């Protein structure tokens, strides 16, 4: 059931979490599908609801660094990035603490744990009221487009989630940056709204993880992901018959294969991530526009080139996975 977030419904949601039920809730990045991270039976429901492979570890959400400290080992680097970016869209991979009160299902075959302290007021209130760390992946069926609005969650998981705490569209619209601090060099495993440059301002030796041993490092990044039900075609310079266009910047030089400019496309076939070419605006619109164009009437989505700099790296990462066959 979808319920508008307010102190009463947040308290109800916190009760459901403590009773071992699932709750979908808003964060500043995307909607999460939450369960009490200390309760294995509850965490198992996440995997079942999403159809998520059991080897894919979960992010455990905490209310602050003090709660994180009960679960993971926090070194000087971790303390520094937490001070800079928490609460906010940064997930840290850290060595698990001995006897940490968290279900093994959150970190299958791993001696590390992903922790994140979200900024969204509703997420913070829920964590506060529940009083337990909350394991939460994005609230979509595994492999599909991430949800940035409560309606996306309703459509994808409405039948299996007892409660969706609704609070409008997510502000940043792209998942958190995942930073691995379990090894010698800080490595970004998943590009996100915080860029490499943002992280390097605090940890100058941070780098983007190279793909070879990705299987071990970030199991979730292996998969075809973020995928609409129709094909996605990248770096399009024109639009084929029946295709929708996901534009970025000026569309002056884009044309329809059948003739004419793309301004002829009906609304249900055209979205522009950012007419002014602003990558942050594009990031916040990405998933919502993919949802909007993913209709049976469209035979595919043609996507214009997006510069691979700053947040563009995270946007292109999502688009590449969406276009995987
Ligand atoms: O913005 C976000 O991070 C959202 C909101 C709900 O917080 N959550 C999210 O979760 O995107 P999910 O499950 O869709 O993505 C988690 C990513 C996956 O790629 C997973 O493999 C990786 O984090 N991950 C989790 N634990 C890990 C660990 N111990 N080591 C390496 N990667 C891990
Ligand atoms: Mg996800």
């Amino acid at each position: 059931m979808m319920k508008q977030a307010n102190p009463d419904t947040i308290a109800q949601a916190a009760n459901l979490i403590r009773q071992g039920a699932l709750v979908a809730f808003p964060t500043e990045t995307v909607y999460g599908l939450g369960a009490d991270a200390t309760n294995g039976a509850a965490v198992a429901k996440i995997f079942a609801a999403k159809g998520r492979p059991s080897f894919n570890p979960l992010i455990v959400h905490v209310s602050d660094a003090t709660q994180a400290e009960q679960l993971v080992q926090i070194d000087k680097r971790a303390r520094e990035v937490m001070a800079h970016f928490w609460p906010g869209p940064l997930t840290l991979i850290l060595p698990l603490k001995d006897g940490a009160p968290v279900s093994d299902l959150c970190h299958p075959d791993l001696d590390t744990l992903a922790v994140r302290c979200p900024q969204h007021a509703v997420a913070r209130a829920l964590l506060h009221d529940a009083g337990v760390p909350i394991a939460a992946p994005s609230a979509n069926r595994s492999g599909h487009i991430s949800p940035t609005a409560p309606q996306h969650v309703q459509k994808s998981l409405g039948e299996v989630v007892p409660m969706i705490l609704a609070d409008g569209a997510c502000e940043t619209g792209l998942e958190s940056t995942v930073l691995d601090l379990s090894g010698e060099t800080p490595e970004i495993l998943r590009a996100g709204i915080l860029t490499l440059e943002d992280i390097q301002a605090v940890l100058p030796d941070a780098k983007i993880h190279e793909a070879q041993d990705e299987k071990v490092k970030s199991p979730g990044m292996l998969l075809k992901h973020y995928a609409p039900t129709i094909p996605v075609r990248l770096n399009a310079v024109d639009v084929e018959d029946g295709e929708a266009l996901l534009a970025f910047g000026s569309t002056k030089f884009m044309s329809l294969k059948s003739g004419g400019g793309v301004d002829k496309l009906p609304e249900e076939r055209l979205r522009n991530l950012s007419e002014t070419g602003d990558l942050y605006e594009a990031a916040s619109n990405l998933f919502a526009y993919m949802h909007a164009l993913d209709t049976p009437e469209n035979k595919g989505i043609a996507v214009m080139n997006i510069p691979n700099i700053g947040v563009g790296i995270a946007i292109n990462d999502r688009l590449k996975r969406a276009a995987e066959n």
Side-chain angles (χ1 to χ4, degrees):
M1 195 194 307
M2 193 142 99
K3 288 196 174 170
Q4 181 57 39
N6 62 42
D8 288 341
T9 54
I10 293 171
Q12 287 168 25
N15 267 329
L16 284 172
I17 294 277
R18 276 197 303 268
Q19 289 161 12
L22 298 181
V23 171
F25 64 97
T27 81
E28 68 277 23
T29 59
V30 300
Y31 274 73
L33 180 63
D36 176 355
T38 68
N39 177 342
V43 175
K45 291 180 187 169
I46 293 178
F47 289 91
K50 283 187 56 115
R52 183 178 177 105
S54 61
F55 60 78
N56 194 0
L58 299 174
I59 297 174
V60 173
H61 295 68
V62 293
S63 42
D64 52 28
T66 309
Q67 192 176 42
E69 191 139 34
Q70 295 165 8
L71 310 176
V72 289
Q73 299 168 34
I74 298 177
D75 61 7
K76 183 165 169 282
R77 301 174 304 182
R79 209 165 288 290
E80 273 169 11
V81 283
M82 283 173 178
H84 267 85
F85 299 113
W86 277 15
L90 178 67
T91 294
L92 298 175
I93 309 294
L94 290 165
L96 197 66
K97 233 181 191 168
D98 270 348
V102 65
S103 162
D104 289 346
L105 295 176
C106 297
H107 54 98
D109 286 327
L110 297 166
D111 49 16
T112 56
L113 185 71
V115 287
R116 154 159 141 78
C117 175
Q119 190 168 33
H120 196 289
V122 174
R124 298 188 61 67
L126 178 66
L127 281 161
H128 171 269
D129 287 5
V132 291
I134 297 180
S138 49
N140 53 278
R141 287 196 191 268
S142 193
H144 290 258
I145 312 170
S146 300
T148 54
Q151 293 76 16
H152 301 155
V153 185
Q154 178 68 42
K155 204 167 135 197
S156 174
L157 296 173
E159 267 149 43
V160 292
V161 182
M163 182 164 168
I164 301 168
L165 260 185
D167 193 37
C170 303
E171 205 174 312
T172 49
L174 204 62
E175 292 91 345
S176 62
T177 302
V178 176
L179 179 66
D180 185 358
L181 290 180
S182 67
E184 206 132 285
T185 308
E187 291 193 328
I188 292 180
L189 302 187
R190 179 175 72 184
I193 201 79
L194 291 175
T195 64
L196 175 64
E197 292 76 16
D198 292 333
I199 306 289
Q200 281 176 335
V202 181
L203 300 177
D205 60 337
K207 58 173 196 162
I208 292 185
H209 176 68
E210 303 282 345
Q212 337 75 331
D213 54 351
E214 202 162 41
K215 185 170 172 21
V216 188
K217 284 272 176 150
S218 193
M221 299 303 284
L222 271 181
L223 315 168
K224 175 182 165 82
H225 219 124
Y226 313 108
T229 54
I230 53 178
V232 172
R233 187 166 68 83
L234 302 182
N235 299 320
V237 292
D238 54 19
V239 183
E240 285 172 20
D241 266 356
E243 261 186 341
L245 175 64
L246 187 60
F248 176 79
S250 167
T251 53
K252 208 160 55 180
F253 299 109
M254 288 295 287
S255 56
L256 302 175
K257 268 243 166 82
S258 56
V262 297
D263 46 336
K264 277 201 205 146
L265 285 170
E267 208 231 328
E268 56 283 7
R269 287 237 153 110
L270 178 64
R271 288 289 185 285
N272 196 328
L273 290 168
S274 169
E275 283 176 18
T276 60
D278 177 334
L279 289 169
Y280 283 95
E281 185 185 10
S284 73
N285 288 328
L286 179 67
F287 291 137
Y289 287 179
M290 277 165 64
H291 276 287
L293 297 177
D294 186 10
T295 64
E297 291 75 39
N298 293 335
K299 79 163 204 213
I301 303 176
V303 186
M304 282 171 69
N305 178 63
I306 290 166
N308 210 37
I309 46 166
V311 191
I313 294 175
I315 297 174
N316 284 321
D317 167 78
R318 305 302 188 272
L319 285 170
K320 240 187 296 170
R321 288 172 213 282
E324 275 295 303
N325 291 307

